[in-house]
Short mmCIF file of all heavy atoms in Angstrom, two decimals:
data_model
loop_
_atom_site.label_atom_id
_atom_site.label_comp_id
_atom_site.label_asym_id
_atom_site.label_seq_id
_atom_site.Cartn_x
_atom_site.Cartn_y
_atom_site.Cartn_z
N PRO X 93 -29.88 6.73 -56.02
CA PRO X 93 -29.10 6.46 -54.66
C PRO X 93 -27.79 7.34 -54.61
O PRO X 93 -27.25 7.55 -55.71
CB PRO X 93 -28.79 5.00 -54.66
CG PRO X 93 -29.77 4.35 -55.67
CD PRO X 93 -29.91 5.42 -56.76
N ALA X 94 -27.43 7.62 -53.51
CA ALA X 94 -26.06 8.25 -53.36
C ALA X 94 -25.11 7.21 -52.97
O ALA X 94 -25.39 6.22 -52.17
CB ALA X 94 -26.12 9.23 -52.20
N LEU X 95 -23.87 7.29 -53.51
CA LEU X 95 -22.80 6.35 -53.24
C LEU X 95 -21.87 6.96 -52.25
O LEU X 95 -21.08 7.92 -52.57
CB LEU X 95 -22.12 5.93 -54.52
CG LEU X 95 -20.90 4.99 -54.26
CD1 LEU X 95 -21.41 3.57 -53.64
CD2 LEU X 95 -20.30 4.68 -55.62
N LEU X 96 -21.65 6.42 -51.03
CA LEU X 96 -20.71 6.96 -50.04
C LEU X 96 -19.69 5.82 -50.03
O LEU X 96 -19.83 4.66 -49.70
CB LEU X 96 -21.43 7.05 -48.70
CG LEU X 96 -20.61 7.59 -47.55
CD1 LEU X 96 -20.11 8.95 -47.81
CD2 LEU X 96 -21.40 7.59 -46.28
N GLU X 97 -18.43 6.34 -50.12
CA GLU X 97 -17.25 5.42 -50.03
C GLU X 97 -16.24 5.93 -49.05
O GLU X 97 -16.02 7.08 -48.89
CB GLU X 97 -16.53 5.40 -51.45
CG GLU X 97 -17.40 4.92 -52.54
CD GLU X 97 -16.75 5.10 -53.93
OE1 GLU X 97 -16.60 6.27 -54.30
OE2 GLU X 97 -16.27 4.06 -54.50
N ALA X 98 -15.77 4.96 -48.16
CA ALA X 98 -14.85 5.31 -47.16
C ALA X 98 -13.57 4.51 -47.18
O ALA X 98 -13.64 3.33 -47.40
CB ALA X 98 -15.59 5.01 -45.73
N THR X 99 -12.47 5.27 -47.11
CA THR X 99 -11.21 4.53 -47.02
C THR X 99 -10.63 4.84 -45.60
O THR X 99 -10.49 6.00 -45.23
CB THR X 99 -10.18 4.96 -48.08
OG1 THR X 99 -10.78 4.80 -49.33
CG2 THR X 99 -8.88 4.24 -47.88
N PHE X 100 -10.39 3.76 -44.79
CA PHE X 100 -9.99 3.94 -43.43
C PHE X 100 -8.55 4.04 -43.25
O PHE X 100 -7.78 3.77 -44.23
CB PHE X 100 -10.61 2.87 -42.56
CG PHE X 100 -12.09 2.83 -42.63
CD1 PHE X 100 -12.74 1.84 -43.33
CD2 PHE X 100 -12.92 3.72 -41.87
CE1 PHE X 100 -14.19 1.82 -43.42
CE2 PHE X 100 -14.28 3.69 -41.98
CZ PHE X 100 -14.84 2.75 -42.76
N ALA X 101 -8.06 4.44 -42.15
CA ALA X 101 -6.63 4.76 -41.96
C ALA X 101 -5.81 3.50 -42.16
O ALA X 101 -4.59 3.66 -42.51
CB ALA X 101 -6.40 5.29 -40.52
N ASP X 102 -6.31 2.28 -41.97
CA ASP X 102 -5.48 1.14 -42.09
C ASP X 102 -5.53 0.58 -43.52
O ASP X 102 -5.02 -0.44 -43.89
CB ASP X 102 -5.96 0.08 -41.20
CG ASP X 102 -7.47 -0.44 -41.47
OD1 ASP X 102 -7.96 0.10 -42.38
OD2 ASP X 102 -7.97 -1.29 -40.59
N GLY X 103 -6.16 1.36 -44.47
CA GLY X 103 -6.22 1.02 -45.88
C GLY X 103 -7.39 0.25 -46.33
O GLY X 103 -7.62 0.02 -47.53
N THR X 104 -8.17 -0.21 -45.40
CA THR X 104 -9.45 -0.99 -45.77
C THR X 104 -10.45 -0.05 -46.09
O THR X 104 -10.40 1.17 -45.78
CB THR X 104 -9.81 -1.86 -44.54
OG1 THR X 104 -10.09 -1.22 -43.44
CG2 THR X 104 -8.81 -2.93 -44.34
N ALA X 105 -11.60 -0.48 -46.60
CA ALA X 105 -12.62 0.34 -47.32
C ALA X 105 -14.03 -0.26 -47.08
O ALA X 105 -14.25 -1.29 -46.77
CB ALA X 105 -12.32 0.57 -48.75
N ALA X 106 -14.94 0.75 -47.21
CA ALA X 106 -16.47 0.34 -47.12
C ALA X 106 -17.09 1.28 -48.12
O ALA X 106 -16.62 2.43 -48.44
CB ALA X 106 -16.93 0.50 -45.73
N ARG X 107 -18.19 0.71 -48.67
CA ARG X 107 -19.07 1.52 -49.61
C ARG X 107 -20.45 1.17 -49.34
O ARG X 107 -20.87 0.04 -48.92
CB ARG X 107 -18.71 1.25 -51.06
CG ARG X 107 -18.98 -0.05 -51.53
CD ARG X 107 -18.22 -0.45 -52.83
NE ARG X 107 -18.43 0.49 -53.88
CZ ARG X 107 -19.51 0.45 -54.68
NH1 ARG X 107 -20.36 -0.58 -54.59
NH2 ARG X 107 -19.64 1.34 -55.63
N GLU X 108 -21.38 2.16 -49.54
CA GLU X 108 -22.74 1.95 -49.28
C GLU X 108 -23.53 2.85 -50.37
O GLU X 108 -23.24 3.94 -50.53
CB GLU X 108 -23.25 2.37 -47.85
CG GLU X 108 -24.71 2.20 -47.66
CD GLU X 108 -25.19 2.63 -46.32
OE1 GLU X 108 -24.40 3.11 -45.58
OE2 GLU X 108 -26.38 2.34 -46.00
N GLU X 109 -24.53 2.17 -50.99
CA GLU X 109 -25.54 2.97 -51.80
C GLU X 109 -26.63 3.37 -50.80
O GLU X 109 -27.31 2.50 -50.23
CB GLU X 109 -26.08 2.06 -52.95
CG GLU X 109 -25.17 2.03 -54.05
CD GLU X 109 -25.80 1.60 -55.35
OE1 GLU X 109 -26.95 1.14 -55.26
OE2 GLU X 109 -25.26 1.66 -56.34
N ILE X 110 -26.93 4.64 -50.69
CA ILE X 110 -27.90 5.14 -49.88
C ILE X 110 -29.15 5.53 -50.75
O ILE X 110 -29.12 6.43 -51.48
CB ILE X 110 -27.42 6.45 -49.03
CG1 ILE X 110 -26.22 6.09 -48.25
CG2 ILE X 110 -28.51 7.01 -48.17
CD1 ILE X 110 -25.48 7.29 -47.61
#
Side-chain angles (χ1 to χ4, degrees):
L95 178 60
L96 181 63
E97 299 172 288
T99 302
F100 300 104
D102 63 2
T104 57
R107 67 198 304 272
E108 180 183 4
E109 279 197 354
I110 301 173

